[in-house]
Amino acid sequence: MTFDVKRYRRFISMGALVLVALAAAPPVSLAARSEESVLDEVQRGGYLVAVMGCHDCHTPQRAGPDGPVPDLSRMLSGHPQDLPLKAPTMPQKGQWQTFISATNTAFYGPWGVSFAANLTGHMETGIGTWSLDDFKRTMTTGRHLGTGRPLLPPMIWSNLARLTDQDLAAIFAYLKSIPRVDNQVPEQLPLMPAP
């Protein structure tokens, strides 16, 4: 096979034309693409939060005309601070296992009383100071910030631990995007002995 100078020059000329065309084209905005990918991540996180039932426990319920409805003014803000609860006395063994508050945000069982956490980005009462790594450690270990107190029932952290890093990042991005709600959720109450 011989070296074809004309073919080589045509190839170089075509390459040069492509480079000139690329240089003359309007620049692709990396910031716009980045915003679009952030929006996609937030939307995916919102979808995951919805289908995984996070609102069922973390968004307080209120009375509606046809029964309980989510109070979206308190979306994902956990158990309302203006609704203090005392631990009920557990009935005789074998009759009941758990009780649930009217807001569906406090749960009583053999572990005591647990309260749904404030998942909004509020800096003092929510997850506003958390990093993505803090969130991932909490969701994958079942412990607050990965090393603290255990997450209590009915929190399904063992299911969340199976999510991909991308899914956890999307959920975290969504939680950081929703309105912040100032709501200090109470600490767990210990189990009260049966009468």
Side-chain angles (χ1 to χ4, degrees):
M1 183 167 167
T2 62
F3 182 70
D4 185 350
V5 174
K6 285 184 179 183
R7 190 179 229 177
Y8 178 73
R9 285 184 182 156
R10 246 184 295 165
F11 177 77
I12 295 297
S13 297
M14 291 298 282
L17 283 173
V18 168
L19 288 174
V20 168
L22 286 173
V28 174
S29 170
L30 294 178
R33 189 180 313 159
S34 177
E35 280 180 36
E36 190 175 298
S37 67
V38 168
L39 285 175
D40 289 345
E41 183 178 52
V42 168
Q43 286 176 336
R44 172 123 179 99
Y47 166 76
L48 290 168
V49 164
V51 299
M52 291 173 28
C54 301
H55 288 282
D56 296 349
C57 299
H58 291 276
T59 298
Q61 303 282 311
R62 62 177 173 75
D66 298 319
V69 295
D71 180 355
L72 296 180
S73 70
R74 297 179 180 203
M75 182 172 70
L76 297 171
S77 66
H79 182 75
Q81 66 186 8
D82 56 356
L83 183 63
L85 294 177
K86 294 188 294 186
T89 303
M90 193 64 140
Q92 292 178 349
K93 286 186 182 254
Q95 293 182 355
W96 286 88
Q97 181 69 24
T98 60
F99 296 105
I100 301 172
S101 69
T103 58
N104 206 42
T105 57
F107 308 89
Y108 179 74
W111 61 89
V113 179
S114 54
F115 298 95
N118 183 345
L119 300 181
T120 73
H122 194 273
M123 297 303 281
E124 287 84 35
T125 64
I127 62 168
T129 60
W130 288 28
S131 68
L132 174 57
D133 285 338
D134 292 336
F135 182 74
K136 285 180 179 178
R137 278 193 306 274
T138 299
M139 295 303 114
T140 58
T141 65
R143 295 196 160 274
H144 187 259
L145 299 174
T147 59
R149 64 170 175 72
L151 302 182
L152 297 171
M155 183 60 190
I156 55 163
W157 72 267
S158 57
N159 292 351
L160 296 174
R162 295 183 183 116
L163 291 172
T164 66
D165 282 348
Q166 291 145 326
D167 285 342
L168 288 170
I171 292 169
F172 186 70
Y174 172 74
L175 295 174
K176 290 288 197 157
S177 76
I178 63 174
R180 297 173 179 182
V181 179
D182 184 2
N183 180 52
Q184 183 64 54
V185 173
E187 294 294 320
Q188 172 197 9
L189 297 175
L191 182 64
M192 299 298 289

